[in-house]
Amino acid sequence: MPSPTSRTPHVVFVCQKNGGKSQMAAALLRDLAGDSVVVTSAGTLPGTALNVQSVESLAEIGVGVGDEHPKALTPEMLEAADLVVVLGTEAQVQAPDGTPLETWVTDEPSDRGITGAERMRLVRDDIRARVGDLRRRL
């Protein structure tokens, strides 16, 4: 990844539908880093709308998603990236040679019977901690 003084790093967050986790990660990094990082999110099989609970969970902590919407991952997005972060195991992504790729697997609260807003808060907080670590590394 580029040093902070060389140029603005570009992070691409990817999940399958691009309606929840990758959008959450992107919104959290935009909120935390501002203009010091270029942030893109996309999906390998994008849906048609953002996950309402994801958006509400972000709003609880004062983070908005702006006019974001699910979009398809393109080769151009991958080529522009200094780092590709895949959220979950459903999306299969091949980063260009020389571009680091990380996979973030969030514990799924619904596997323990936790659903609804409580589930989404746990997912959000896990992604938020990972984004904070990423910001420090950038």
Side-chain angles (χ1 to χ4, degrees), residues 49-109:
L50 297 184
N51 179 298
V52 172
Q53 288 184 330
S54 294
V55 174
E56 290 171 350
S57 177
L58 289 170
E60 287 178 356
I61 60 169
V63 176
V65 295
D67 62 355
E68 285 295 319
H69 58 280
K71 56 195 146 312
L73 181 65
T74 67
E76 294 79 17
M77 289 175 185
L78 291 172
E79 287 296 327
D82 294 303
L83 172 65
V84 176
V85 178
V86 179
L87 286 95
T89 58
E90 293 176 332
Q92 299 300 309
V93 178
Q94 176 96 24
D97 287 345
T99 301
L101 183 140
E102 296 180 11
T103 301
W104 296 355
V105 179
T106 299
D107 173 58
E108 180 48 63

Side-chain angles (χ1 to χ4, degrees), residues 28 32 104 123-136:
L28 288 162
L32 185 61
W104 296 355
V123 169
R124 177 203 63 209
D125 292 347
D126 179 76
I127 293 171
R128 188 180 192 189
R130 293 171 191 262
V131 165
D133 175 64
L134 174 60
R135 176 65 186 118
R136 285 185 289 282

Side-chain angles (χ1 to χ4, degrees), residues 19-66:
K21 292 175 183 173
S22 60
Q23 291 282 357
M24 290 179 87
L28 288 162
L29 185 56
R30 282 186 199 105
D31 183 68
L32 185 61
D35 293 338
S36 68
V37 178
V38 176
V39 180
T40 304
S41 73
T44 55
L45 294 170
T48 58
L50 297 184
N51 179 298
V52 172
Q53 288 184 330
S54 294
V55 174
E56 290 171 350
S57 177
L58 289 170
E60 287 178 356
I61 60 169
V63 176
V65 295

